[in-house]
Amino acid sequence: DTAVSQTPKYLVTQMGNDKSIKCEQNLGHDTMYWYKQDSKKFLKIMFSYNNKELIINETVPNRFSPKSPDKAHLNLHINSLELGDSAVYFCASSLSIGQPQHFGDGTRLSIL
Amino acid sequence: KNEVEQSPQNLTAQEGEFITINCSYSVGISALHWLQQHPGGGIVSLFMLSSGKKKHGRLIATINIQEKHSSLHITASHPRDSAVYICAVRPKGQGNLIFGKGTKLSVKP
């Protein structure tokens, strides 16, 4: 049973399109995160939700909109995709804020 | 300058060697995490510590809060330890993690 699962694993799309990445955790955790890992493998927090409430929103273009329908899901929707959005996006969850995080396998987004 | 600095950036070792990876940070923190990213891309949390030392199998993590420094040690290294090791800190009063750029470890048989 995968604890934190992301879909899709790979996403190749054209510039200007809108796409979504889904994340689900079956750990019963309250807190979920989205991270972006760039081509230099540098990880950076994008968003964090605690019990469906947005608690961290780093400097991310408003083309990125997270949605948490319930505390087991945190989806990431991206409008008007740009070349610079190409990266690996990781979802993670933790029991609560500050606890060890469990990561999904990542979604590799490639913009053509 | 990044708030979290790791050294070395790359490390090649022979199987069996004792390995040390260092992490220095410049902010006050609530906790420090060590993560492992496998060549396939998956990320695993190894340790979370706020003081002292933790041990799990052949892995040992230490932290010195006064010196703002942490080390990750691997004893009796093995080729399967080859991965990128990432240090991340949680600043005091914040919920997010700030990551170092990672140390790429290759252990040769």
Side-chain angles (χ1 to χ4, degrees):
Chain A
D1 273 347
T2 305
V4 181
S5 59
Q6 295 179 227
T7 53
K9 195 171 170 67
Y10 299 97
L11 186 51
V12 181
T13 190
Q14 302 272 4
M15 211 163 53
N17 283 351
D18 303 339
K19 289 292 176 189
S20 292
I21 307 171
K22 295 187 175 182
C23 179
E24 176 182 4
Q25 53 94 5
N26 62 4
L27 297 165
H29 287 171
D30 282 348
T31 311
M32 295 185 74
Y33 311 81
W34 274 110
Y35 294 96
K36 180 180 180 181
Q37 186 173 43
D38 61 24
S39 56
K40 293 182 180 173
K41 305 290 186 187
F42 190 46
L43 273 162
K44 206 165 180 186
I45 182 77
M46 298 175 71
F47 301 103
S48 178
Y49 271 69
N50 189 58
N51 269 319
K52 303 194 299 173
E53 302 264 339
L54 180 66
I55 55 167
I56 295 170
N57 184 354
E58 291 296 299
T59 311
V60 175
N62 58 15
R63 298 181 294 104
F64 290 78
S65 51
K67 283 189 173 48
S68 183
D70 54 62
K71 70 176 194 179
H73 294 83
L74 180 61
N75 303 323
L76 184 64
H77 188 76
I78 317 169
N79 289 328
S80 303
L81 281 156
E82 299 178 358
L83 288 174
D85 298 332
S86 294
V88 181
Y89 292 84
F90 284 95
C91 176
S93 72
S94 62
L95 193 60
S96 60
I97 298 165
Q99 293 300 307
Q101 296 182 22
H102 295 249
F103 286 79
D105 289 337
T107 295
R108 183 175 293 278
L109 173 63
S110 299
I111 310 300
L112 303 177
Chain B
K1 190 179 187 307
N2 205 30
E3 288 163 297
V4 181
E5 296 280 352
Q6 286 185 235
S7 63
Q9 206 170 341
N10 292 284
L11 181 55
T12 301
Q14 286 298 124
E15 185 172 354
E17 282 183 9
F18 180 83
I19 285 158
T20 296
I21 299 170
N22 295 301
C23 176
S24 296
Y25 53 91
S26 56
V27 297
I29 67 167
S30 302
L32 182 143
H33 298 247
W34 281 102
L35 309 169
Q36 180 191 53
Q37 186 167 25
H38 285 285
I43 298 175
V44 174
S45 180
L46 297 175
F47 295 104
M48 184 183 82
L49 61 166
S50 53
S51 66
K53 178 177 167 177
K54 285 191 177 180
K55 185 175 190 291
H56 186 251
R58 295 179 296 106
L59 301 177
I60 303 165
T62 64
I63 188 167
N64 184 320
I65 294 290
Q66 285 73 30
E67 293 186 6
K68 293 189 165 66
H69 181 269
S70 175
S71 293
L72 176 68
H73 305 285
I74 306 175
T75 61
S77 60
H78 190 276
R80 65 174 173 265
D81 297 326
S82 298
V84 175
Y85 292 85
I86 303 168
C87 172
V89 302
R90 183 161 63 87
K92 273 186 183 167
Q94 297 181 33
N96 59 305
L97 291 179
I98 302 174
F99 295 84
K101 293 188 175 178
T103 295
K104 186 172 181 180
L105 171 65
S106 297
V107 182
K108 307 290 183 194

